């Protein structure tokens, strides 16, 4: 089964947690293997990452159900208005202030919809068509989300760099 | 105000533009400061991402755990099962789709397409998007073949429907391949024909209840809709009406013969 590293990395970026990534990646790889025979195309990577993404979304829903926090009415996070990023705690001592950590933190802080297309393009080096398949989005949406993701990331990155004299542009 | 070509510049940067489009975008960037700056910004960001991000491989412990589980499953003959993988039938698969397609309208306004607001049928937007993307990118076709016996079975594994596929080269409509695009929450089958210098995309998907117009023109592209069996078809191209209707008639005749 190829692309295990990609599956794991994508799970890491989706879950933003090493423990959750382990679970999601394992579930996805096993599920992929069970369905391997049904895959007659050649695009194994896109297919595997699609399963990773689905496993993540299932796990997320289960978590939310378990948490049962009385939220002030569920927001429709898909309508494009509720893109609220949950940024990791900036006070956390584990955040080293070097460039790698900065970029990783900035990406982790992107809204989920933006982060996934950015990761698939820039880290996994996938074509628009493949990204559309993984995210189940029309290609036009992939392109516009990717443009937004890059523009937001660039903006935050520049802000960060300007605020920190040691950062290199 | 963002230059309306920004998505094309991004596509060029991502290597998604074909040679002709790329040359066109390069010419545009010579004139447009904004797009030059955008392109430089994209390069800087990619350089930083490739330089600074770590790419952790799958941890050895996890790999071992997965391999062990696979070995155990292997002994129960997993590959013999012809059932479709479970993830395809999960509700979240459909759930994820609805939000994405809701965004299609947003994407269309952001896209480089010249939008005319007179018709807001989402499926027309989606098809226009898909058609223009197929011309822009090098991904006109997923399966390249002039043989219907290659193209039709390919759809079985990739699309939700099995459309009519035929080569009409003697009549001037050469079959060049097939592709899958998302339309109305489905993986629609797209059969690609060439007529002279023009590309004709024929979309096929499971017909919905509501009726679509017989034909319409959007941004200079002609759309012809028809139903055959339980499938909805739409042929899209920038050819003239007569040429496009010629192919539609051939396909309708074929559909009638197959049904009879």
């Amino acid at each position: 089964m190829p692309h295990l590293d990609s599956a794991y990395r994508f799970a890491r970026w989706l879950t933003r947690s090493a423990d959750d990534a382990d679970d999601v990646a394992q579930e996805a790889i096993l599920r992929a293997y069970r369905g391997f025979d049904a895959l007659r195309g050649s695009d194994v990577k896109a297919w595997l990452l699609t399963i990773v993404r689905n496993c993540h979304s299932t796990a997320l829903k289960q978590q939310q159900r378990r948490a049962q926090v009385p939220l002030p009415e569920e927001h429709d996070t898909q309508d494009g208005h509720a893109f609220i990023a949950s940024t990791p705690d900036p006070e956390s001592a584990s955040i080293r202030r070097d460039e790698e950590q900065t970029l990783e933190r900035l990406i982790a802080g992107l809204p989920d919809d933006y982060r996934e297309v950015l990761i698939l393009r820039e880290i996994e080096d996938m074509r628009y068509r493949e990204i559309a398949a993984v995210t189940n989005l029309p290609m036009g949406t992939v392109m516009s989300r990717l443009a937004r993701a890059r523009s937001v990331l660039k903006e935050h990155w520049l802000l960060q760099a300007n605020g920190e004299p040691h950062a290199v542009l | 105000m963002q230059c309306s070509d920004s998505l094309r510049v991004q596509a060029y940067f991502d290597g998604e533009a074909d040679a002709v489009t790329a040359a066109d975008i390069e010419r545009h960037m010579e004139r447009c400061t904004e797009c030059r700056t955008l392109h430089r910004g994209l390069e800087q960001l990619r350089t930083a991402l490739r330089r600074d991000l770590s790419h952790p491989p799958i941890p050895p412990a996890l790999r071992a755990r997965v391999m062990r589980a696979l070995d155990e499953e292997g002994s129960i003959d997993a590959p013999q099962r012809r059932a479709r993988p479970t993830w395809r039938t999960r509700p979240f698969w459909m759930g994820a789709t609805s939000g994405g397609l809701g965004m299609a309208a947003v994407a269309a306004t952001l896209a480089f397409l010249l939008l005319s607001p007179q018709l807001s049928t989402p499926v027309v937007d989606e098809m226009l998007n898909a058609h223009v993307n197929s011309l822009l990118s090098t991904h006109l076709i997923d399966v390249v073949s002039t043989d219907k016996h290659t193209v039709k079975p390919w759809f079985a594994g990739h699309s939700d429907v099995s459309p009519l596929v035929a080569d009409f080269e003697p009549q001037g409509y050469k079959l060049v391949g097939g592709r899958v695009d998302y339309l109305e929450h489905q993986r629609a089958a797209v059969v690609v024909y060439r007529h002279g210098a023009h590309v004709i995309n024929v979309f096929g998907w499971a017909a919905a209840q509501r009726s679509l117009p017989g034909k319409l023109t959007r941004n200079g592209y002609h759309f012809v809709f028809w139903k055959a069996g339980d499938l909805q078809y739409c042929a899209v191209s920038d050819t003239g009406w007569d040429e496009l209707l010629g192919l539609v008639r051939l396909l309708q005749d074929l559909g009638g013969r197959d049904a009879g």
Side-chain angles (χ1 to χ4, degrees), chain B residues 229-248:
Chain B
D230 58 351
L231 290 194
Q232 174 73 54
Y233 287 95
C234 179
V236 183
S237 185
D238 59 349
T239 56
W241 279 116
D242 288 345
E243 288 87 344
L244 190 56
L245 287 167
L247 175 62
V248 171

Side-chain angles (χ1 to χ4, degrees), chain A residues 2-63:
Chain A
H3 306 298
L4 293 190
D5 289 340
S6 291
Y8 173 72
R9 268 200 301 272
F10 191 43
R12 273 291 283 267
W13 281 112
L14 289 179
T15 59
R16 289 175 288 175
S17 138
D19 287 348
D20 292 349
D22 272 17
D23 293 344
V24 166
Q26 175 167 350
E27 167 72 15
I29 293 164
L30 295 181
R31 209 187 273 186
Y33 177 79
R34 288 178 208 130
F36 201 69
D37 196 44
L39 176 78
R40 271 166 282 174
S42 51
D43 204 349
V44 179
K45 184 171 168 181
W47 178 69
L48 180 57
L49 296 193
T50 306
I51 301 175
V52 171
R53 184 173 180 273
N54 287 338
C55 285
H56 166 62
S57 118
T58 310
L60 206 63
K61 277 180 193 142
Q62 280 165 357
Q63 266 172 25

Side-chain angles (χ1 to χ4, degrees), chain B residues 124-199:
Chain B
V124 174
D125 283 339
E126 287 169 25
M127 261 185 295
L128 183 59
N129 238 338
H131 181 75
V132 176
N133 276 330
S134 77
L135 302 180
L136 168 84
S137 70
T138 48
H139 284 113
L140 175 63
I141 25 197
D142 290 333
V143 54
V144 185
S145 176
T146 56
D147 179 4
K148 71 172 183 170
H149 298 297
T150 303
V151 177
K152 193 164 169 77
W154 181 86
F155 281 122
H158 295 81
S159 165
D160 293 331
V161 297
S162 180
L164 272 177
V165 182
D167 182 28
F168 301 109
E169 191 171 11
Q171 294 94 332
Y173 303 94
K174 186 176 165 58
L175 173 69
V176 289
R179 187 175 83 239
V180 167
D181 274 318
Y182 287 88
L183 284 187
E184 300 203 306
H185 306 207
Q186 307 169 29
R187 294 174 301 172
V190 189
V191 185
V192 186
Y193 295 90
R194 251 184 217 289
H195 181 69
H198 301 277
V199 169

Side-chain angles (χ1 to χ4, degrees), chain A residues 47 58 104 122 128 136 150, chain B residues 14 16 46 54 87 92:
Chain A
W47 178 69
T58 310
E104 283 199 8
E122 293 290 22
Y128 290 173
N136 208 358
R150 283 165 158 164
Chain B
D14 286 324
E16 299 268 350
R46 175 167 293 168
S54 56
W87 55 272
F92 60 68

Side-chain angles (χ1 to χ4, degrees), chain A residues 120-121 124-133 139 142, chain B residues 14-17 137-139:
Chain A
L120 292 174
R121 179 65 200 101
E124 296 305 330
D125 204 19
M126 296 180 94
R127 317 281 309 173
Y128 290 173
R129 172 162 295 284
E130 297 168 321
I131 301 174
M139 230 159 76
V142 168
Chain B
D14 286 324
E16 299 268 350
S137 70
T138 48
H139 284 113

